[in-house]
Amino acid sequence: MADGGAVRRVETGGAAGFWEPGSEILWRYRENGGARFHIARPVTVVRDDAELLAVWLAPGTECVRPVLADGTPVHLEPLESRYTKPRTVQRDRWFGTGVLKLARPAEPWSVWLFWEPGWRFKNWYVNLEEPLVRWEGGVDSVDHFLDISVHPDRSWHWRDEDEFAQALRDGLMDDQQAEKVREAGRAAVEVIRAWGPPFSEGWQHWRPDPSWTVPSLPEDWDRTPARVSS
């Protein structure tokens, strides 16, 4: 593996441009309203085709996350000033159990699966976001604050509505963008109520290939891709 174990510069292969299972790529988020990347997570491709991209974020993976300029974790800052204080980024580890992330082409959300220790399934998490943009080293998006938790009994509830409202007040999105996010959320709820894919596909029983190693975070994790596609 190149760069001392860093994420491989995987070129999407074939006419369709899909990654092979076991490929190591980056899953990144840009700042809201900015061009800088503030979240980067090395992941392993589980499946990639015209219907779905599925990736595994392994426990202990070195990631990049945003913090306040003085190093304070973002979630510890009062909501009223959480999005207005200066920020930076820092390297950290993804502790706890791993996460399976599922994304369909052009869909304005991804679905994450969480487990308790011992592989006891905990919940699905619908992360409302810009549709993923693919490049040769991974996928990029922008998070939209509002989320949905979906439980094994198929019940669900909104998450982070307070953060969504604060982001709107602070100008991180305008009214038109906020309504698009709400529309995406309502569309996701319809999928949940109908128990459509991916909820109906049994992904909670999936397990990672034991031969996979934990991907490393490359030094140029924030590089600008040479070419992108949706």
Side-chain angles (χ1 to χ4, degrees):
M1 188 178 298
D3 298 326
V7 171
R8 291 192 296 270
R9 273 45 168 182
V10 177
E11 293 291 340
T12 51
F18 299 122
W19 289 294
E20 292 293 330
S23 299
E24 296 170 359
I25 64 173
L26 286 172
W27 185 297
R28 308 189 297 185
Y29 290 94
R30 285 188 171 89
E31 290 179 324
N32 298 83
R36 185 174 67 168
F37 293 104
H38 69 154
I39 295 173
R41 297 165 181 163
V43 294
T44 302
V45 174
V46 174
R47 169 184 160 187
D48 186 31
D49 54 38
E51 299 297 324
L52 184 74
L53 171 64
V55 304
W56 171 241
L57 174 59
T61 301
E62 186 178 21
C63 302
V64 172
R65 66 182 179 95
V67 294
L68 299 185
D70 64 0
T72 300
V74 171
H75 71 275
L76 295 181
E77 179 66 20
L79 189 61
E80 293 74 16
S81 53
R82 187 173 301 173
Y83 301 122
T84 55
K85 283 195 171 180
R87 292 190 181 191
T88 186
V89 296
Q90 72 177 27
R91 290 173 176 248
D92 205 346
R93 296 279 175 182
W94 187 272
F95 291 107
T97 58
V99 182
L100 180 66
K101 298 187 177 190
L102 311 174
R104 295 180 178 277
E107 206 160 53
W109 65 78
S110 56
V111 178
W112 305 359
L113 283 77
F114 290 88
W115 288 266
E116 301 284 3
W119 287 103
R120 183 169 66 86
F121 183 63
K122 181 180 179 183
N123 66 283
W124 295 270
Y125 182 91
V126 179
N127 195 70
L128 296 173
E129 59 192 30
E130 287 291 320
L132 296 180
V133 174
R134 300 167 66 101
W135 55 288
E136 66 269 16
V139 292
D140 298 338
S141 183
V142 177
D143 184 76
H144 285 161
F145 303 99
L146 191 61
D147 306 297
I148 307 169
S149 277
V150 184
H151 304 285
D153 65 0
R154 303 191 184 185
S155 64
W156 62 272
H157 66 271
W158 296 103
R159 291 181 58 116
D160 305 324
E161 292 177 280
D162 56 344
E163 294 187 357
F164 179 72
Q166 188 65 47
L168 182 58
R169 285 193 294 269
D170 289 337
L172 295 183
M173 64 178 73
D174 58 24
D175 290 338
Q176 183 178 8
Q177 178 65 42
E179 182 53 32
K180 285 181 60 179
V181 175
R182 294 188 188 100
E183 288 177 2
R186 290 191 288 268
V189 167
E190 289 305 308
V191 175
I192 296 165
R193 286 173 171 161
W195 209 244
F199 307 101
S200 60
E201 296 179 326
W203 283 101
Q204 64 270 31
H205 306 299
W206 173 88
R207 299 294 182 266
D209 187 326
S211 70
W212 288 347
T213 57
V214 177
S216 297
L217 182 70
E219 290 300 322
D220 59 348
W221 58 267
D222 59 348
R223 66 192 182 275
T224 301
R227 54 187 173 85
V228 298
S229 62
S230 58

